[in-house]
Amino acid sequence: MRQFSGIVSSLLVTASVLTSTNADYVLKEGPLDTPWTKTVGLNPWPQYPRPQLERSAWKNLNGIWKYQNATSPDDVHKLPFANSLTSEVLVPFCLESALSGIMNEYSTYSWYGTSFDVPSSWHAGDRVLLNFGAVDYQATVFVNGHNVGNHTGGYWSFTFDVTDFLKANGTNELLVFVYDPTDRVIDGKETQIVLGKQSLHFNHIFYTPCSGIWQTVWLESAPAEHITELHLDANMDGRVNVTVYSSYGWDSPVEITIYEPHSDTIKAVGKGTAGTAFQFTVDSPDLWSPDSPTLYNLTATLGSDIVNSYTGFRTVSRGVINGIQRPLINGKFFFWFGTLDQGFWPDGIYTAPTYEAMVSDLQALKEVGYNMVRKHIKVEPALFYKAADELGLLLIQDMPSLRTYVYTNPEPKSCPPRTAVGSPEAQQEFDSQLALLIQQQRNYPSIVTWVIYNEGWGQDSGNPPDGRLTDMVRSLDPTRLVNSVTGWWDHGFGDFHDNHRYPQPQCGTPWYSLENTPYDSSRIGIQGEFGGIGHNVSADHLWKEKEPIDHIANIYSITTDLKAWNHNAHILLGELRQQIEHYACSGAVWTETTDVEGEVNGMLTYDRRINRMDKDQWKRDIQALYDTAERRTMNATARIMSREEAMDDMGLA
């Protein structure tokens, strides 16, 4: 039986109020909370966590686990008993978060423990799979004292088949040893890992780190030969490209069934073999776009394994309209306008307190007319991407960055100069995790662009790898655009010429500034960041730590007058509209969705209790951007460029 789920149905899950039913777990009082903090309950995030590969037989392991701080990497060889660990932690919330019940400042080495029973209703001959949505940064997993596997990388899901390590009857013990150095100096060695905006050292634009299990953990039952990965792309012409990966790797027959939207009626069926790409065509599909985000549910069948998934039919490309390079969705240009979305929460740090809370950010943007979000050097839980698919928000997805520099002084007074990555091992790890980003996120129709580097952070200054990595991304996913470097240190690769400038925009214009370069007409002009104007609020809505509060004025402009903040935004959006009208601006990213710790420049405050936007004004100003872009291209036909033509146009063929 197929299971259909969406934003509305997911919000109907009843949350239990946090109570004292478990005396050992205590919700900590952090520097700030949200309206959802005290509604999380002891069984957080109950939704099935992987909507692109959903099985009916599953068991959520979120909730109260045991926890204990460890002191060295050697502790991984000294297995404790799960029930002997000294504290209780709420999974899946970072150890630094109030919701975890731990709220550590330093969590370099950690033990997690819990126990589980395998449901008796599961088929006796099936395999039991243990899944982790994400653990930051390295996880070593033990079941009943057996090492079942290791994983490196704080943003990626992973699975272990634990069947052979389970007890025939009774309760099983699960232990997870986590190592997360963030940006510490350990044994005199500077740490350089993929970590985005996490830092142990306060800086106005770097934030509280996230250590440990921060996404859902779950068990599921699957046949011995089962689907391990489903790669599916559906374009505007109705052509569906599919690769189904099997646990056996054999050429077993597979079948994809696509259903009419909101229906059990079969729309099309495609057949192929596991491990080999195959294609089939769906007649006259309704296309996915921000104005009409139509999704089609589907099932994938491999032997007795049946998984539920979905797709949207759309094509991302680039083309020339009236002599200007433009991004195209389904062969049409419209202006891309979104916010820089950091994805931090005061109560959960990297993890939103609830699904409803996470989606509320996106709904607030959609309400005033934003059609895009730039997911800023962070990867979200899979349900975030499904929400964007359902709402019709384009996503520009950043690769989480290496640190551009690593502090060796615990109290740095200023930013050191830009340095090289520092080691071939760090570069190799970045490369492999960039590939994981593409492989794990490429099914979501909302994602339209991959970003490799933000402002050169972690981009080797001695031997810039952005050209090589751009080629790698395109080889893994030729269906999307690539923004090789958003900001500066741009070496001419990728589909975009992307400037960052605050607070005024500088998008596709002939003038430029110190960090930015003149517009490169062979690529699409986009404003990767601008705005960032601040509005201070009362202490009730601020991250109540001294250093962030002391640095609130460290921003491009700031006011305590909300009317003035909105007026300033109106002026800046007017400048952007003029650049769309007169120059080659095709998209822009406003900083930012919400405040984060010491930053007070969000559409929403960090606690999500104040929406700063004069909604009527913002709706008018955003619509004016779209109307201006439409007038620029009215009655014009896009010459859609192939990848080869685009490369030739950039002189890279």
Side-chain angles (χ1 to χ4, degrees):
M1 180 178 180
R2 292 183 300 119
Q3 298 178 347
F4 298 118
S5 60
I7 289 176
V8 175
S9 62
S10 294
L11 294 182
L12 296 178
V13 177
T14 302
S16 57
V17 177
L18 200 63
T19 67
S20 58
T21 56
N22 190 312
D24 294 318
Y25 167 78
V26 178
L27 170 66
K28 298 289 188 180
E29 183 177 353
L32 189 66
D33 66 1
T34 72
W36 300 274
T37 305
K38 294 181 180 179
T39 69
V40 169
L42 300 181
N43 297 293
W45 283 88
Q47 299 84 1
Y48 187 88
R50 193 182 56 202
Q52 288 281 4
L53 193 73
E54 183 173 350
R55 288 192 172 90
S56 57
W58 75 289
K59 180 177 182 177
N60 198 324
L61 297 185
N62 291 346
I64 301 296
W65 289 38
K66 299 289 283 186
Y67 162 81
Q68 186 171 305
N69 188 50
T71 57
S72 81
D74 294 334
D75 288 355
V76 72
H77 305 298
K78 306 170 186 176
L79 270 65
F81 291 105
N83 61 10
S84 72
L85 301 179
T86 55
S87 302
E88 293 197 330
V89 61
L90 187 63
V91 170
F93 296 104
C94 308
L95 293 172
E96 293 82 356
S97 72
L99 277 167
S100 74
I102 303 297
M103 214 162 75
N104 281 351
E105 289 189 8
Y106 297 94
S107 298
T108 305
Y109 305 101
S110 306
W111 277 112
Y112 284 83
T114 190
S115 59
F116 65 88
D117 296 320
V118 176
S120 59
S121 59
W122 287 3
H123 190 274
D126 282 0
R127 309 298 291 178
V128 176
L129 307 179
L130 173 62
N131 303 280
F132 292 82
V135 180
D136 197 350
Y137 181 69
Q138 292 179 349
T140 306
V141 181
F142 301 88
V143 173
N144 295 325
H146 299 280
N147 185 334
V148 300
N150 306 275
H151 181 267
T152 297
Y155 299 93
W156 325 115
S157 62
F158 56 99
T159 299
F160 299 125
D161 184 336
V162 298
T163 314
D164 297 337
F165 307 102
L166 299 176
K167 294 179 179 178
N169 294 292
T171 299
N172 298 278
E173 183 182 65
L174 171 61
L175 287 167
V176 183
F177 184 79
V178 179
Y179 166 59
D180 183 20
T182 311
D183 54 359
R184 289 190 67 182
V185 175
I186 299 176
D187 296 330
K189 184 179 180 181
E190 296 179 340
T191 304
Q192 181 64 294
I193 64 172
V194 175
L195 79 172
K197 281 210 165 186
Q198 304 177 66
S199 181
L200 293 167
H201 312 278
F202 172 76
N203 183 299
H204 189 62
I205 62 169
F206 294 98
Y207 319 123
T208 301
C210 172
S211 299
I213 300 170
W214 68 278
Q215 291 187 29
T216 293
V217 185
W218 77 103
L219 295 172
E220 61 187 357
S221 177
E225 184 179 15
H226 56 268
I227 296 169
T228 58
E229 183 183 348
L230 176 65
H231 178 206
L232 189 146
D233 170 68
N235 69 24
M236 62 182 287
D237 299 319
R239 188 174 70 254
V240 183
N241 298 290
V242 186
T243 307
V244 178
Y245 297 90
S246 164
S247 57
Y248 282 4
W250 296 344
D251 295 333
S252 301
V254 295
E255 182 174 285
I256 304 294
T257 304
I258 295 182
Y259 301 87
E260 295 282 2
H262 313 294
S263 170
D264 290 327
T265 303
I266 294 175
K267 175 77 171 175
V269 176
K271 298 182 179 182
T273 56
T276 303
F278 64 95
Q279 297 80 35
F280 64 98
T281 300
V282 174
D283 293 333
S284 304
D286 294 332
L287 302 185
W288 185 95
S289 71
D291 291 334
S292 181
T294 303
L295 298 174
Y296 287 80
N297 288 294
L298 63 91
T299 56
T301 303
L302 169 66
S304 60
D305 191 26
I306 301 174
V307 298
N308 299 316
S309 190
Y310 70 92
T311 193
F313 290 84
R314 60 99 182 95
T315 297
V316 183
S317 61
R318 60 185 281 191
V320 178
I321 305 176
N322 294 335
I324 297 175
Q325 295 277 347
R326 299 293 192 185
L328 307 176
I329 304 294
N330 302 327
K332 298 179 180 178
F333 167 65
F334 54 85
F335 191 77
W336 297 6
F337 189 57
T339 57
L340 193 74
D341 195 72
Q342 311 268 18
F344 276 75
W345 295 81
D347 45 12
I349 308 300
Y350 249 25
T351 311
T354 66
Y355 177 84
E356 178 184 18
M358 180 182 72
V359 174
S360 71
D361 279 1
L362 300 180
Q363 290 170 327
L365 301 176
K366 189 74 176 181
E367 182 183 9
V368 295
Y370 282 109
N371 63 17
M372 178 263 283
V373 163
R374 179 185 164 202
K375 176 44 61 182
H376 189 38
I377 52 178
K378 182 195 176 193
V379 180
E380 293 288 356
L383 289 168
F384 174 92
Y385 298 95
K386 186 175 184 185
D389 291 341
E390 293 175 327
L391 286 168
L393 282 167
L394 305 177
L395 290 178
I396 294 176
Q397 175 64 56
D398 289 12
M399 171 63 187
S401 64
L402 296 167
R403 182 69 67 235
T404 299
Y405 48 85
V406 179
Y407 294 130
T408 55
N409 182 336
E411 296 183 359
K413 302 302 181 184
S414 61
C415 291
R418 180 169 174 264
T419 62
V421 168
S423 75
E425 293 79 12
Q427 184 65 59
Q428 183 178 6
E429 195 62 57
F430 181 85
D431 294 3
S432 65
Q433 293 191 36
L434 174 60
L436 281 175
L437 170 69
I438 311 304
Q439 291 162 356
Q440 293 198 1
Q441 314 303 123
R442 61 188 172 187
N443 277 8
Y444 299 106
S446 53
I447 297 178
V448 293
T449 297
W450 305 112
V451 175
I452 300 174
Y453 286 112
N454 174 72
E455 297 181 354
W457 294 7
Q459 178 189 25
D460 194 322
S461 59
N463 183 26
D466 35 315
R468 173 180 60 80
L469 294 179
T470 299
D471 290 341
M472 184 189 81
V473 171
R474 284 176 170 157
S475 70
L476 291 170
D477 180 16
T479 70
R480 291 177 174 87
L481 302 178
V482 182
N483 191 342
S484 302
V485 182
T486 173
W488 38 89
W489 308 104
D490 176 12
H491 300 97
F493 299 100
D495 296 297
F496 294 89
H497 181 262
D498 181 346
N499 281 335
H500 293 182
R501 189 166 184 261
Y502 288 99
Q504 293 86 4
Q506 179 199 314
C507 184
T509 67
W511 67 82
Y512 56 98
S513 52
L514 179 63
E515 297 90 354
N516 295 311
T517 53
Y519 170 58
D520 173 3
S521 62
S522 71
R523 293 182 290 165
I524 299 164
I526 191 171
Q527 185 72 44
E529 295 178 25
F530 83 114
I533 55 175
H535 166 246
N536 206 351
V537 289
S538 68
D540 290 342
H541 306 285
L542 294 176
W543 182 252
K544 297 175 187 64
E545 289 190 346
K546 184 178 186 305
E547 282 190 292
I549 287 178
D550 287 348
H551 285 78
I552 279 176
N554 183 18
I555 202 169
Y556 308 102
S557 70
I558 193 166
T559 180
T560 57
D561 183 337
L562 188 56
K563 185 175 181 180
W565 180 86
N566 276 285
H567 180 66
N568 196 359
H570 171 70
I571 293 171
L572 294 173
L573 293 176
E575 289 189 40
L576 179 65
R577 185 192 60 76
Q578 292 177 25
Q579 292 176 20
I580 299 168
E581 182 175 5
H582 296 292
Y583 300 107
C585 185
S586 293
V589 178
W590 180 278
T591 301
E592 56 192 323
T593 305
T594 73
D595 296 352
V596 186
E597 299 189 4
E599 295 185 11
V600 290
N601 50 8
M603 306 291 97
L604 311 171
T605 52
Y606 198 23
D607 62 1
R608 274 70 169 179
R609 287 186 170 93
I610 297 177
N611 185 328
R612 289 188 174 95
M613 293 180 287
D614 178 326
K615 294 181 183 179
D616 289 338
Q617 173 198 302
W618 279 82
K619 286 177 183 178
R620 288 193 302 269
D621 286 344
I622 291 173
Q623 188 60 47
L625 304 179
Y626 301 152
D627 292 345
T628 301
E630 185 176 6
R631 284 195 298 271
R632 288 285 316 263
T633 58
M634 192 173 295
N635 301 320
T637 300
R639 181 175 67 83
I640 300 176
M641 304 179 74
S642 67
R643 180 65 65 199
E644 291 73 21
E645 288 177 306
M647 296 285 284
D648 183 64
D649 205 51
M650 289 187 285
L652 300 174

